[in-house]
Amino acid sequence: KGFTSDVAEKLARIEGLLQPSGTIQRVRSIILAKSASWVGIPLVSDSKESIESAMSRLEMTAYELGMSVATDGGTFTELLPELVCTRSDQIRSFGRGLAQGADDPEAIWKQLVAQLQPAIVEAATPWVFCGFLNGLHQEDAALAESMLDAAIDNDVLAQWYPVLEAAIGVIDKSGLHRLTRSLELGRAPIHNYRVLQSGGVTHGLTGSDFNKLLLRISNRPE
């Protein structure tokens, strides 16, 4: 507010030049950025807006970008290697939009999974998969659960299975069965089951089923 009008106008022009152009640049600057600042979206629109409101706008923007990318095969293909490796806080909302904006969500899921080649497995993260499953489960629970069934035996997804299961929300009998099978196979590191302690995801289980699950986890080393 201390700038002269001339300086403020110059600063605004520079800002305009630096704005991301097109969907790919917007996704890379807003969804895939590693920093806590996002080029291309004002974090606070005015001095009276709360941080909660600003963050809600950010998540909505991420969701809308996911819906946009879902209908643009070329853009999705170009961004794919980055989407499966990002640790961005916005990637879950983006993944949710990706699932809900897709004409063929199963095809997009298969492309995401196929991207997990040996060369990038160590750098890969489960977060776009979590967001995708969460969004898909709201639209087509049966399809989302079939993907979870397959994930238990997938060479890469199996290690993340508890995280993927928790991503869809409250665990039911089918989810409990999958968790039990996952524990029997032992392909997911035991610390990944820690995700079950938050978000109320186990609140749908009976006391008896919860106790059995807890004992199965406690019987594993570490």
Side-chain angles (χ1 to χ4, degrees), residues 12-88:
R13 286 199 296 272
I14 293 172
E15 182 185 21
L17 290 171
L18 293 175
Q19 288 289 320
S21 174
T23 302
I24 290 176
Q25 284 191 17
R26 293 193 74 213
V27 170
R28 285 181 171 146
S29 66
I30 297 171
I31 310 302
L32 304 176
K34 294 181 180 179
S35 70
S37 59
W38 305 277
V39 177
I41 181 170
L43 189 56
V44 177
S45 61
D46 61 60
S47 59
K48 295 180 181 178
E49 184 179 20
S50 68
I51 189 65
E52 290 83 5
S53 170
M55 294 305 294
S56 178
R57 284 193 299 104
L58 178 62
E59 295 301 332
M60 180 54 68
T61 299
Y63 173 79
E64 291 170 348
L65 282 170
M67 292 195 74
S68 177
V69 170
T71 59
D72 186 339
T75 294
F76 176 65
T77 299
E78 181 168 342
L79 292 169
L80 193 49
E82 298 163 75
L83 294 176
V84 299
C85 292
T86 185
R87 299 178 186 277
S88 160

Side-chain angles (χ1 to χ4, degrees), residues 10-221:
K10 288 180 179 178
L11 187 59
R13 286 199 296 272
I14 293 172
E15 182 185 21
L17 290 171
L18 293 175
Q19 288 289 320
S21 174
T23 302
I24 290 176
Q25 284 191 17
R26 293 193 74 213
V27 170
R28 285 181 171 146
S29 66
I30 297 171
I31 310 302
L32 304 176
K34 294 181 180 179
S35 70
S37 59
W38 305 277
V39 177
I41 181 170
L43 189 56
V44 177
S45 61
D46 61 60
S47 59
K48 295 180 181 178
E49 184 179 20
S50 68
I51 189 65
E52 290 83 5
S53 170
M55 294 305 294
S56 178
R57 284 193 299 104
L58 178 62
E59 295 301 332
M60 180 54 68
T61 299
Y63 173 79
E64 291 170 348
L65 282 170
M67 292 195 74
S68 177
V69 170
T71 59
D72 186 339
T75 294
F76 176 65
T77 299
E78 181 168 342
L79 292 169
L80 193 49
E82 298 163 75
L83 294 176
V84 299
C85 292
T86 185
R87 299 178 186 277
S88 160
D89 291 337
Q90 287 69 251
I91 192 62
R92 289 175 185 259
S93 294
F94 177 89
R96 193 162 49 85
L98 195 62
Q100 296 185 350
D103 293 328
D104 187 352
E106 189 171 12
I108 291 209
W109 176 262
K110 288 179 178 178
Q111 286 180 268
L112 286 167
V113 174
Q115 186 61 38
L116 298 172
Q117 301 297 323
I120 69 163
V121 164
E122 289 189 8
T125 64
W127 310 124
V128 69
F129 297 92
C130 287
F132 191 96
L133 284 170
N134 179 274
L136 180 61
H137 193 262
Q138 296 172 24
E139 303 288 326
D140 189 340
L143 179 56
E145 297 211 11
S146 72
M147 292 172 176
L148 286 169
D149 289 336
I152 300 172
D153 296 302
N154 182 274
D155 288 342
V156 178
L157 296 180
Q159 65 177 321
W160 297 331
Y161 167 71
V163 180
L164 300 177
E165 180 67 50
I168 68 170
V170 177
I171 296 164
D172 58 13
K173 280 282 188 181
S174 297
L176 178 63
H177 176 75
R178 285 189 292 267
L179 284 167
T180 301
R181 176 165 165 71
S182 174
L183 284 161
E184 289 171 350
L185 293 174
R187 301 181 71 180
I190 196 63
H191 64 78
N192 281 350
Y193 293 87
R194 185 179 298 150
V195 70
L196 302 178
Q197 73 185 9
S198 59
V201 295
T202 60
H203 288 182
L205 301 179
T206 65
S208 175
D209 284 343
F210 179 79
N211 288 346
K212 290 175 184 176
L213 175 61
L214 195 60
L215 288 170
R216 283 184 178 273
I217 293 172
S218 68
N219 283 335
R220 284 277 300 276

